[in-house]
Amino acid sequence: MKFKLITYSLSLVCLLAGCGVNDAKQASKQASQTQTFPHTVPKNKPDIPLSPAMSRMFDYSATRPQNSELFSQFKYTKLEGFDYNGGDGTITRRDPSRPILVDGKYYIWYTKRHTEVPPVGSKRAELATDTIPSTDWDLAELWYATSSDGLTWKEQGVAVPRPPKPNPGHRSVATPDILVWEGKYYLYYQAFNEPSGLKGDHSTVVASWADSPEGPWTAVNRAVVTPGKKGDWDQNLIHDPMPIVYKGKVYMYFKSTYNKWSDNRSNYHVAHGLAIADSPLGEFKKYPLNPVVNSGHETFYFPFKEGVAGVIIRDGIERNTVQYAEDGMNFHVDANISMPPVAGGAHTPDAFTNTEYGRGVTWGISHFINFGEKRPFHTELLRFDCDLSLDVHEPLFKSPNIWLKPDIYFEHMGLGNAKKTMVERSRQAAKQSEQ
Amino acid sequence: MKFKLITYSLSLVCLLAGCGVNDAKQASKQASQTQTFPHTVPKNKPDIPLSPAMSRMFDYSATRPQNSELFSQFKYTKLEGFDYNGGDGTITRRDPSRPILVDGKYYIWYTKRHTEVPPVGSKRAELATDTIPSTDWDLAELWYATSSDGLTWKEQGVAVPRPPKPNPGHRSVATPDILVWEGKYYLYYQAFNEPSGLKGDHSTVVASWADSPEGPWTAVNRAVVTPGKKGDWDQNLIHDPMPIVYKGKVYMYFKSTYNKWSDNRSNYHVAHGLAIADSPLGEFKKYPLNPVVNSGHETFYFPFKEGVAGVIIRDGIERNTVQYAEDGMNFHVDANISMPPVAGGAHTPDAFTNTEYGRGVTWGISHFINFGEKRPFHTELLRFDCDLSLDVHEPLFKSPNIWLKPDIYFEHMGLGNAKKTMVERSRQAAKQSEQ
């Protein structure tokens, strides 16, 4: 009988692998009696034969989302204080940095585009001019804003403008993140030298630094993290730099898109790599086993316990997961999440303190790209709240269930025509079965 | 240097494990040169050092959701033909069976409650009477409806009423699923003998059979799948029976809730077991390594390729995944999904044909529990469409992205107070840092 074979074979494996006599006795004892999984869930993986599912359950940091420090629902709130020109597509704010707290004020940096007309779109990038943007992040600058509560913000002005030609970023600078290191501030961001969309979305990561979050900012005007050599997964571009201070060094996580992206967009893959430097301006050495995360579009990383956690969203086979690496490199899936922040910048007070035990995240700033009733959309910043923190225990955020109103399911965008095809198919099947 | 150590140690492991000379040479060669992950994703796992993330990526049935037969988005459509008394909570239809196609008509069976008043709720179950229901599925019967397109339905009447005392289900019968076997039809469903909520949600699984989908139905009036013995994970209840014909037998997947559920609801776990019988009325023998799935509230299973796939929703650390078991027992996570059907009954023409290569699912019937502007909610049936099928290739359903309108994120239910706490916390942190 197959079931018995499974439990007997456990003893066999144990003997072949050279387990001690006691282990073998134990395994033999298990094989000789039926041990059903108990009604009370053990604290640790029990020493009984388990299905792969039940064995796996004990490999997560908690056996239920309700008890997992790395599971959360997300609540979103509109920000006060930003003007978007009535949502006509001429003003966009997106890709916020982490909020950092300095002397009673939160600071964020972000991509701001304020152009005469909305973007023409990446597929018509050849129509872009010095004043007409191709994408939502073309012809952009880095701006910053401050707040005393994370909800109401005052835009302070430009932090990093586009530098003059031929410096990297003369076409657009976008998608900043912040690092605080020995009393100085470093902004890392994408630098575009041509309208994005022309050859894909090619950019390098450059940096500016300042003695104060208010600036003035000194541009380094060279790439600090560069695309790989021809043939490497990250040959074309480095996006979304996100530094944390870990083990005394700067750990820079970044995204790249690969798999012939520029030839056939429909095949593109997204993954995340890691580059490590002894100090903020490099040299950043890429981890040889990159990518370290196989999924995720605009994700965010933060120190957590001894390691690093990441909220991995949208793209990839491990989309919408929270992942954890005890060493900052070897990530595994630890929780499955819903409706996570897009382009989240998490308030993480210990991101730059070289903490040995990261505390996690309770809020941050993210963006939605699809504001406005119809295209052209623009992008707005918003706040997200969550409980991915060791210091907060908010049962509402830990519930595995979100009960959206039914109308949301009926109306949600983008699947209209596909649905019609499906309904017609079931109608045809019924007709055929009548004959 | 740490990076080099990692690749060297691969050779060492290989030598210790007794690999052949060629393998060792290969490993040595790999250690002596940097092999960056390539820009073009290989078809199979490449023979180079990989991070756990990239190694894992090749263990899924596809490296991207877009190429995965077990990834889909879901589109929902209201059904025509069902009356809900203006949504006043007195009529509920929920927990639909698979739709089956017989002579040009789709048939579904479902829980129908039609009571004078809405349910009082499980926490006030002691107020329930012979005419006042405790939960939404108390005082219910099994009804059925037919359709020629899966969208417009005609309710045909009761299929299985509550049997007289003391037969199982005399208080309520609910949550049916259908099996077709050698020209006969079998309904499996939950049988309640007291208002659910009094002692949890205790029920057994009973069955009725008929020669035609139109009935008449003969009640077996005994449990066909029973709770486990005291101390077993499934000691209290068996829910959500879902049979398929696999390897010539009836494979019955079912849900149970465990971990002291009746003592402390807040600790409850949900998992799924498997019971196998040679014929529809048993004896159903439980698989000794149950549970086979560690997550999922109202999930559904279907034959897929050589094995069985399940859409696992809401509860558990592997919530919102599609899982696959090549042998119907050893399930692993194969894709992460969003907004999946609640209580889905999938139209699966090969669920009962003893297929050796299941084709998958393109549509089914599910339910939403939260219809109505405010509590008491009631439950309505609806249709879902998807592409979890080998025979359909619908790119819209394969996109990993859902772009919900921003208002949906701002307004979604249930997290209001938790959010306030979080915002207050960030305000306080800013104040403290000022001093």
Side-chain angles (χ1 to χ4, degrees):
Chain A
M1 185 197 168
K2 196 176 180 184
F3 302 158
K4 272 194 180 159
L5 273 178
I6 288 170
T7 46
Y8 283 138
S9 67
L10 285 173
S11 322
L12 189 64
V13 166
C14 189
L15 288 168
L16 286 176
C19 311
V21 174
N22 284 339
D23 293 339
K25 267 192 189 162
Q26 179 70 20
S28 170
K29 192 180 162 196
Q30 281 170 19
S32 66
Q33 61 185 55
T34 306
Q35 296 207 21
T36 306
F37 191 85
H39 185 68
T40 302
V41 178
K43 272 217 156 176
N44 300 305
K45 192 181 291 196
D47 186 21
I48 59 171
L50 294 171
S51 69
M54 297 311 279
S55 176
R56 211 161 56 224
M57 188 172 82
F58 292 95
D59 297 335
Y60 294 97
S61 64
T63 56
R64 307 190 313 158
Q66 292 91 330
N67 305 116
S68 174
E69 299 286 6
L70 288 178
F71 175 82
S72 184
Q73 300 286 2
F74 298 89
K75 180 69 186 175
Y76 297 91
T77 313
K78 287 190 191 194
L79 300 182
E80 300 292 326
F82 291 119
D83 170 57
Y84 290 94
N85 221 18
D88 65 358
T90 60
I91 301 183
T92 265
R93 291 180 189 82
R94 52 182 296 149
D95 297 305
S97 74
R98 294 179 200 282
I100 63 166
L101 183 54
V102 183
D103 296 334
K105 274 191 288 193
Y106 294 103
Y107 289 79
I108 53 170
W109 292 262
Y110 45 88
T111 308
K112 183 181 180 187
R113 178 184 57 76
H114 187 171
T115 47
E116 290 169 19
V117 291
V120 291
S122 62
K123 288 177 184 164
R124 299 196 298 162
E126 70 283 358
L127 300 180
T129 69
D130 284 353
T131 54
I132 298 175
S134 62
T135 61
D136 198 27
W137 53 95
D138 187 28
L139 292 175
E141 298 176 313
L142 307 185
W143 284 55
Y144 78 114
T146 59
S147 170
S148 61
D149 63 1
L151 272 180
T152 302
W153 292 84
K154 180 164 171 44
E155 186 162 77
Q156 301 290 348
V158 68
V160 177
R162 291 187 291 280
K165 276 186 187 178
N167 290 304
H170 57 79
R171 174 70 195 185
S172 192
V173 289
T175 321
D177 211 347
I178 188 76
L179 169 71
V180 187
W181 177 276
E182 295 181 359
K184 286 196 163 56
Y185 299 83
Y186 297 84
L187 282 171
Y188 300 90
Y189 46 95
Q190 298 176 198
F192 295 91
N193 294 335
E194 61 181 21
S196 67
L198 270 189
K199 292 182 195 162
D201 203 17
H202 295 193
S203 74
T204 54
V205 166
V206 299
S208 290
W209 65 271
D211 290 316
S212 154
E214 315 262 341
W217 294 89
T218 303
V220 173
N221 281 331
R222 64 172 169 82
V224 291
V225 185
T226 49
K229 66 181 188 302
K230 176 85 177 164
D232 289 355
W233 73 287
D234 58 351
Q235 67 171 35
N236 284 342
L237 52 90
I238 304 290
H239 281 183
D240 295 359
M242 182 164 284
I244 64 174
V245 177
Y246 183 61
K247 296 185 178 175
K249 298 177 187 289
V250 183
Y251 272 52
M252 179 82 79
Y253 295 91
F254 62 87
K255 183 185 77 187
S256 192
T257 47
Y258 62 112
N259 203 40
K260 300 185 195 164
W261 185 74
S262 52
D263 299 332
N264 183 352
R265 192 185 157 88
S266 70
N267 286 334
Y268 91 117
H269 267 253
V270 172
H272 290 247
L274 168 64
I276 301 173
D278 292 333
S279 60
L281 297 182
E283 176 191 1
F284 278 94
K285 289 181 188 165
K286 288 187 192 162
Y287 176 54
L289 296 192
N290 277 343
V292 294
V293 169
N294 64 34
S295 297
H297 208 100
E298 306 96 339
T299 77
F300 66 85
Y301 295 87
F302 53 100
F304 191 75
K305 295 186 174 175
E306 299 89 348
V308 176
V311 170
I312 312 302
I313 74 157
R314 286 178 54 195
D315 278 310
I317 198 69
E318 292 177 352
R319 62 193 285 281
N320 292 7
T321 59
V322 182
Q323 304 204 9
Y324 180 63
E326 207 174 29
D327 58 0
M329 298 167 176
N330 290 291
F331 284 88
H332 62 265
V333 173
D334 202 56
N336 291 322
I337 50 173
S338 302
M339 300 175 74
V342 178
H347 178 56
T348 321
D350 54 7
F352 312 125
T353 60
N354 197 31
T355 179
E356 292 185 349
Y357 206 79
R359 306 304 301 177
V361 168
T362 62
W363 70 280
I365 305 293
S366 60
H367 78 212
F368 287 142
I369 65 165
N370 50 345
F371 272 90
E373 277 310 296
K374 51 182 181 178
R375 289 182 187 277
F377 289 139
H378 69 289
T379 306
E380 294 190 16
L381 302 176
L382 59 138
R383 173 178 166 133
F384 68 89
D385 286 276
C386 62
D387 176 3
L388 294 170
S389 164
L390 300 178
D391 301 318
V392 166
H393 297 286
E394 196 52 76
L396 278 173
F397 282 116
K398 295 297 184 186
S399 164
N401 300 317
I402 283 186
W403 294 113
L404 296 172
K405 292 178 187 168
D407 282 349
I408 292 168
Y409 286 85
F410 296 136
E411 288 164 15
H412 83 70
M413 303 157 66
L415 297 172
N417 288 333
K419 186 196 74 177
K420 272 186 204 160
T421 316
M422 297 292 189
V423 171
E424 187 50 35
R425 199 170 273 126
S426 60
R427 194 177 277 125
Q428 290 297 333
K431 270 195 189 156
Q432 280 170 19
S433 88
E434 254 179 314
Q435 295 156 0
Chain B
M1 183 197 169
K2 194 175 179 184
F3 302 158
K4 271 193 182 161
L5 274 178
I6 288 169
T7 46
Y8 283 140
S9 68
L10 285 174
S11 321
L12 189 65
V13 166
C14 190
L15 288 168
L16 286 175
C19 311
V21 174
N22 285 339
D23 293 338
K25 266 192 190 162
Q26 179 70 20
S28 169
K29 193 180 163 196
Q30 282 169 19
S32 67
Q33 61 185 56
T34 307
Q35 296 207 21
T36 307
F37 192 87
H39 185 68
T40 302
V41 178
K43 273 218 154 173
N44 301 305
K45 193 181 290 195
D47 185 22
I48 58 172
L50 294 172
S51 69
M54 297 310 279
S55 175
R56 211 162 56 224
M57 188 172 82
F58 292 95
D59 297 335
Y60 294 97
S61 64
T63 56
R64 308 191 311 160
Q66 292 91 332
N67 305 115
S68 173
E69 299 285 7
L70 287 178
F71 175 82
S72 185
Q73 301 286 3
F74 299 89
K75 179 70 186 175
Y76 298 90
T77 313
K78 288 191 189 189
L79 300 181
E80 301 291 326
F82 290 119
D83 170 56
Y84 290 94
N85 220 18
D88 66 358
T90 60
I91 302 182
T92 267
R93 290 179 188 83
R94 53 182 296 148
D95 297 306
S97 73
R98 296 179 199 281
I100 63 167
L101 183 54
V102 183
D103 295 334
K105 274 192 286 192
Y106 294 103
Y107 288 80
I108 54 171
W109 292 262
Y110 45 86
T111 308
K112 183 182 180 186
R113 178 183 56 78
H114 188 171
T115 48
E116 289 168 21
V117 291
V120 290
S122 61
K123 289 176 185 166
R124 301 196 297 162
E126 70 283 0
L127 299 181
T129 69
D130 284 353
T131 54
I132 298 176
S134 62
T135 61
D136 198 27
W137 53 96
D138 188 27
L139 292 176
E141 298 176 312
L142 308 184
W143 284 55
Y144 77 114
T146 58
S147 170
S148 61
D149 63 1
L151 271 181
T152 302
W153 293 85
K154 180 164 170 45
E155 186 162 78
Q156 300 289 348
V158 68
V160 177
R162 291 188 290 281
K165 277 187 185 177
N167 290 304
H170 58 80
R171 175 69 195 186
S172 192
V173 289
T175 320
D177 210 350
I178 187 78
L179 168 71
V180 187
W181 177 276
E182 294 180 357
K184 286 196 162 55
Y185 299 83
Y186 297 83
L187 281 172
Y188 300 91
Y189 45 96
Q190 299 175 197
F192 296 91
N193 294 335
E194 62 182 20
S196 65
L198 271 189
K199 293 182 196 162
D201 203 16
H202 294 194
S203 73
T204 53
V205 166
V206 300
S208 288
W209 64 271
D211 290 317
S212 152
E214 316 262 340
W217 294 90
T218 303
V220 172
N221 281 330
R222 64 171 169 83
V224 290
V225 186
T226 50
K229 66 180 187 302
K230 177 87 177 163
D232 290 355
W233 73 286
D234 57 351
Q235 68 172 35
N236 284 343
L237 53 90
I238 304 290
H239 280 183
D240 295 359
M242 183 166 284
I244 63 174
V245 177
Y246 184 60
K247 295 184 178 175
K249 297 178 188 290
V250 182
Y251 271 52
M252 179 81 79
Y253 295 91
F254 62 86
K255 182 184 76 186
S256 192
T257 48
Y258 63 112
N259 202 39
K260 301 185 194 162
W261 184 74
S262 52
D263 300 331
N264 182 352
R265 192 186 157 87
S266 71
N267 286 334
Y268 91 117
H269 267 253
V270 172
H272 291 246
L274 168 63
I276 302 173
D278 292 332
S279 60
L281 296 181
E283 175 191 6
F284 279 94
K285 290 182 188 165
K286 287 187 193 162
Y287 175 56
L289 296 193
N290 277 343
V292 294
V293 169
N294 64 35
S295 297
H297 208 101
E298 306 96 338
T299 76
F300 66 85
Y301 295 87
F302 53 99
F304 191 75
K305 295 187 174 175
E306 299 89 348
V308 176
V311 170
I312 311 301
I313 75 156
R314 285 178 53 195
D315 277 310
I317 198 68
E318 293 178 352
R319 61 194 285 282
N320 292 7
T321 60
V322 182
Q323 304 203 9
Y324 180 65
E326 207 174 31
D327 58 359
M329 298 167 175
N330 290 291
F331 283 88
H332 63 265
V333 173
D334 202 56
N336 290 322
I337 50 173
S338 302
M339 300 174 75
V342 178
H347 178 56
T348 320
D350 54 7
F352 312 125
T353 60
N354 197 29
T355 178
E356 291 184 350
Y357 206 79
R359 306 304 301 177
V361 170
T362 62
W363 71 280
I365 305 295
S366 61
H367 77 211
F368 288 142
I369 65 165
N370 49 343
F371 273 90
E373 278 311 295
K374 51 181 181 177
R375 289 180 187 278
F377 290 139
H378 68 290
T379 305
E380 295 191 14
L381 302 177
L382 59 138
R383 172 178 168 135
F384 68 89
D385 286 277
C386 62
D387 176 3
L388 293 169
S389 164
L390 300 178
D391 301 318
V392 165
H393 297 286
E394 197 52 77
L396 279 173
F397 283 115
K398 294 297 183 187
S399 165
N401 301 316
I402 283 187
W403 294 113
L404 296 172
K405 291 178 187 169
D407 281 349
I408 292 168
Y409 286 84
F410 295 136
E411 289 163 15
H412 82 70
M413 302 158 67
L415 296 172
N417 288 334
K419 186 198 74 178
K420 273 185 206 161
T421 316
M422 296 293 188
V423 171
E424 187 50 36
R425 200 169 271 126
S426 59
R427 195 178 277 124
Q428 290 298 334
K431 269 194 189 156
Q432 280 169 19
S433 87
E434 253 179 316
Q435 295 156 0

